Amino acid sequence: MSTIYGYCRISTKQQNIERQERNITQAYPTAIIVNEIYTGTKIYGRKEFEKLLNKVKIGDTIVFDSVSRMSRDADEGFKLYEELYNKGISLVFIKEPHINTNTYKKAFENNIAMTGTSVDLILEGINKYLLAIAKEQIKLAFEQSEKEVRDLRQRTREGIETARLNGKQIGQKQGVKLITKKSAQAKEQIKKYSKDFEGTLNDIDSMKLIGISRNSYYKYKKQLLEEQGK
């Protein structure tokens, strides 16, 4: 029995993956959704995607919201596309239906039948041409996805350079400690409860009462001691 999988990918936890899920399940309500958070353009290194590739079998389908969710590396993406196609795995791209494997398959199936005459030389050329067009469309889709990554990186670099030229601080100044509301509150509580400051509790009891990790506690405590010149 064949299975339909929907693969959704975002680059950071701050991004919303629900749009991809919704687009896939609207078209394929029975799709088993596989979610992944992964930064980068390469295919291999994505744990959930690799698990999916090892799981799919002949007749299964993988649905993507767009070609960029499969790959943003043109050569790698097209190579995997052909590998999966040759294994009998169907690929569906919601936003680029013209490169679905069904379209690619039709290019093979629609070959003009040979006649057994000299005309076959022309017919063979036409068939190869139709396949080349289908192949080129798929390559172009992956190349466009890769170009979007390059353009985004270029815009980011230009934005940083523009901000620098306008005298804006980029990133955190060297030697300046980043003070957050959370760290400030934790430090106040350490001063209040720790016997090394104004309290009566030892380190273990202090961190339990405050509810912060061991590493955070000792980091903030060290900063407090440095501020007091101890």
Side-chain angles (χ1 to χ4, degrees):
M1 184 176 177
S2 60
T3 305
I4 300 174
Y5 297 95
Y7 178 75
C8 306
R9 179 180 65 82
I10 53 177
S11 300
T12 67
K13 291 181 179 179
Q14 286 69 41
Q15 292 177 325
N16 193 330
I17 205 167
E18 291 179 4
R19 176 185 56 78
Q20 295 178 47
E21 293 176 349
R22 184 172 61 252
N23 291 344
I24 291 172
T25 54
Q26 281 178 351
Y28 297 87
T30 61
I32 298 171
I33 300 299
V34 177
N35 288 334
E36 182 141 64
I37 300 173
Y38 179 82
T39 301
T41 61
K42 297 295 182 182
I43 291 173
Y44 299 99
R46 305 184 206 167
K47 292 182 180 178
E48 296 306 317
F49 193 44
E50 288 185 357
K51 288 179 187 176
L52 178 57
L53 294 179
N54 290 327
K55 184 189 299 183
V56 288
K57 59 187 183 302
I58 294 174
D60 286 350
T61 300
I62 305 176
V63 185
F64 303 87
D65 182 47
S66 70
V67 68
S68 64
R69 299 306 87 195
M70 178 175 169
S71 176
R72 279 186 162 173
D73 181 290
D75 292 335
E76 198 175 58
F78 182 71
K79 180 181 177 183
L80 179 61
Y81 181 105
E82 284 205 312
E83 286 177 2
L84 291 172
Y85 174 83
N86 291 331
K87 288 179 181 177
I89 311 300
S90 295
L91 302 175
V92 174
F93 304 91
I94 302 293
K95 290 187 171 61
E96 301 93 359
H98 63 287
I99 66 162
N100 291 351
T101 48
N102 280 345
T103 304
Y104 197 35
K105 188 177 180 181
K106 284 178 184 177
F108 281 99
E109 293 176 346
N110 289 342
N111 280 359
I112 302 170
M114 298 294 107
T115 64
T117 68
S118 59
V119 178
D120 286 352
L121 291 173
I122 298 173
L123 297 180
E124 185 179 354
I126 293 173
N127 287 336
K128 287 182 179 179
Y129 175 69
L130 292 173
L131 286 176
I133 289 176
K135 207 173 252 192
E136 192 60 28
Q137 285 182 323
I138 298 164
K139 285 183 177 179
L140 284 172
F142 282 108
E143 286 170 3
Q144 179 59 33
S145 179
E146 183 176 318
K147 182 178 181 298
E148 287 173 3
V149 174
R150 291 199 304 268
D151 289 348
L152 178 60
R153 288 173 177 168
Q154 180 62 27
R155 288 195 298 271
T156 301
R157 285 194 295 268
E158 290 173 354
I160 292 173
E161 180 62 13
T162 299
R164 187 186 67 78
L165 292 173
N166 289 334
K168 294 182 180 179
Q169 173 64 33
I170 307 299
Q172 187 177 333
K173 290 183 178 179
Q174 189 174 0
V176 176
K177 292 175 182 174
L178 181 63
I179 300 174
T180 64
K181 184 178 180 181
K182 181 180 177 181
S183 66
Q185 289 176 340
K187 284 182 179 180
E188 285 301 315
Q189 290 179 313
I190 291 171
K191 284 198 293 186
K192 180 178 179 180
Y193 298 119
S194 173
K195 66 181 181 180
D196 292 311
F197 301 99
E198 303 165 5
T200 58
L201 300 179
N202 60 30
D203 290 336
I204 300 298
D205 291 336
S206 293
M207 71 178 74
K208 283 182 180 179
L209 182 62
I210 298 167
I212 60 175
S213 68
R214 180 185 180 88
N215 288 342
S216 295
Y217 177 83
Y218 284 111
K219 180 179 74 174
Y220 295 146
K221 180 180 176 181
K222 180 182 178 182
Q223 290 175 1
L224 285 169
L225 292 172
E226 288 174 351
E227 289 167 8
Q228 295 183 3
K230 293 183 179 181

